[in-house]
Amino acid sequence: MFVVLVYDMGEKRVTKALKRCRKYLNWVQNSVFEGEISESNLAKLKMELDKIIVTEEDSVIIYTLRTTRYSEREIMGLRKGGQDLII
């Protein structure tokens, strides 16, 4: 499956979240990741992030796409990491 993961976290936890997400997904831009991931690895990533976040302060949003066949990505402005992937 293809996922887009976005997080908003306190400064102290951002680096830990960044490292965990980069293990499984491709960095796109600040706090945004995307890529193909298995269900088991997605479950692992969620468990790892759950140990990092403070639920009263932080949020993680995961968009799951079964296929990227009918999707498109448009980048406006500064291009950052991960342009090789197309949603």
Side-chain angles (χ1 to χ4, degrees):
M1 77 180 76
F2 190 89
V3 301
V4 177
L5 182 143
V6 182
Y7 63 76
D8 184 14
M9 295 191 184
E11 269 184 64
K12 294 178 181 180
R13 295 175 296 282
V14 168
T15 303
K16 288 181 182 180
L18 174 69
K19 288 179 183 177
R20 296 309 186 288
C21 291
R22 280 190 168 173
K23 280 176 37 180
Y24 299 97
L25 299 169
N26 301 302
W27 176 74
V28 178
Q29 66 181 36
N30 300 346
S31 304
V32 180
F33 298 83
E34 66 181 21
E36 290 287 335
I37 190 170
S38 67
E39 288 186 33
S40 61
N41 279 341
L42 181 57
K44 288 179 191 176
L45 175 56
K46 287 179 178 181
M47 286 184 352
E48 291 179 29
L49 289 173
D50 192 45
K51 293 176 183 176
I52 296 169
I53 67 170
V54 175
T55 55
E56 296 81 22
E57 299 175 20
D58 306 327
S59 66
V60 176
I61 301 170
I62 301 171
Y63 299 93
T64 304
L65 293 92
R66 297 291 174 208
T67 179
T68 58
R69 185 174 180 181
Y70 302 108
S71 60
E72 178 180 322
R73 183 209 301 182
E74 180 179 348
I75 301 172
M76 299 174 61
L78 180 64
R79 294 179 183 270
K80 296 190 177 186
Q83 284 83 17
D84 296 338
L85 297 175
I86 298 175
I87 296 180

